[in-house]
């Protein structure tokens, strides 16, 4: 069973502006709080099968995740599937919708599966606690500030 984090935010920017910001591997440092660097990313616009290798950091521990853009509907929806250290996996979903005059609703979902079954899940929960939810909320607030200027 995966641990899941969901959060939503309304940003006073068009879906295109939000999409371009969230799908730019080089721009992640501007809004993703646990992002440390994009090690590599396929060139060009977002497309199914696109690959990205990213270094993230939680509680002072850096780790790499190899992401594949599994599903992509331009300016609306993206699903990234990731493989991390020691068999961990993640799935991150971005869903954008119009929310009033020149505003976009951004729904974010992240599911993480720790290796080691129930024991691994219990250890992961003890180590990170509510940190993923707080970091997701902080990241979306940073994105809002970035785009609303």
């Amino acid at each position: 069973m995966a641990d899941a984090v969901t959060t939503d935010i309304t940003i006073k920017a068009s879906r295109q502006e939000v999409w371009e910001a969230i799908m730019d591997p080089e721009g992640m440092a501007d809004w993703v709080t646990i992002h440390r660097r994009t090690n590599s990313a396929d060139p060009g616009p977002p497309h199914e099968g696109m690959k990205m290798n990213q270094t993230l950091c939680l509680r002072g521990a850096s780790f790499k995740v190899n992401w594949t853009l599994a599903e992509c509907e331009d300016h609306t929806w993206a699903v990234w599937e990731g493989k991390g250290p020691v068999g961990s996996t993640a799935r991150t979903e971005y869903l954008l919708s119009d929310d009033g005059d020149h505003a976009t609703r951004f729904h974010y979902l992240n599911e993480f599966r720790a290796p080691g079954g129930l024991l691994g899940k219990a250890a992961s929960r003890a180590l990170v606690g509510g940190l993923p939810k707080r970091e997701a909320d902080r990241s979306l607030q940073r994105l809002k500030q970035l785009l609303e200027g």
Side-chain angles (χ1 to χ4, degrees):
M1 178 175 278
D3 286 316
V5 170
T6 62
T7 192
D8 295 89
I9 197 165
T10 296
I11 301 170
K12 292 179 184 164
S14 70
R15 270 200 292 165
Q16 179 175 342
E17 291 168 307
V18 176
W19 180 260
E20 288 173 2
I22 65 176
M23 297 304 290
D24 176 11
E26 296 304 319
M28 291 186 153
D30 296 333
W31 67 279
V32 179
T33 59
I34 66 169
H35 175 87
R36 293 302 173 260
R37 79 180 87 25
T38 300
N39 304 307
S40 64
D42 289 348
H47 58 277
E48 288 182 13
M50 180 179 183
K51 305 277 189 207
M52 174 177 60
N53 178 276
Q54 179 182 39
T55 299
L56 302 170
C57 183
L58 276 174
R59 293 223 194 268
S62 292
F63 56 96
K64 291 182 181 177
V65 179
N66 292 308
W67 296 101
T68 300
L69 188 53
E71 299 177 54
C72 182
E73 185 179 324
D74 201 28
H75 298 96
T76 303
W77 184 49
V79 177
W80 290 96
E81 293 178 348
K83 295 184 183 202
V86 294
S88 60
T89 61
R91 180 179 179 278
T92 301
E93 180 177 323
Y94 302 155
L95 178 62
L96 302 180
S97 58
D98 293 329
D99 192 11
D101 187 35
H102 196 70
T104 300
R105 188 75 178 163
F106 180 13
H107 174 77
Y108 171 91
L109 165 71
N110 180 277
E111 296 174 330
F112 171 78
R113 291 185 191 275
L118 291 175
L119 183 59
K121 183 176 178 170
S124 174
R125 191 170 292 133
L127 287 172
V128 298
L131 187 61
K133 172 69 170 143
R134 284 191 303 274
E135 292 301 327
D137 288 339
R138 284 183 57 222
S139 292
L140 268 58
Q141 282 297 326
R142 281 176 64 174
L143 179 65
K144 180 180 178 81
Q145 290 171 352
L146 175 72
L147 292 175
E148 292 182 358

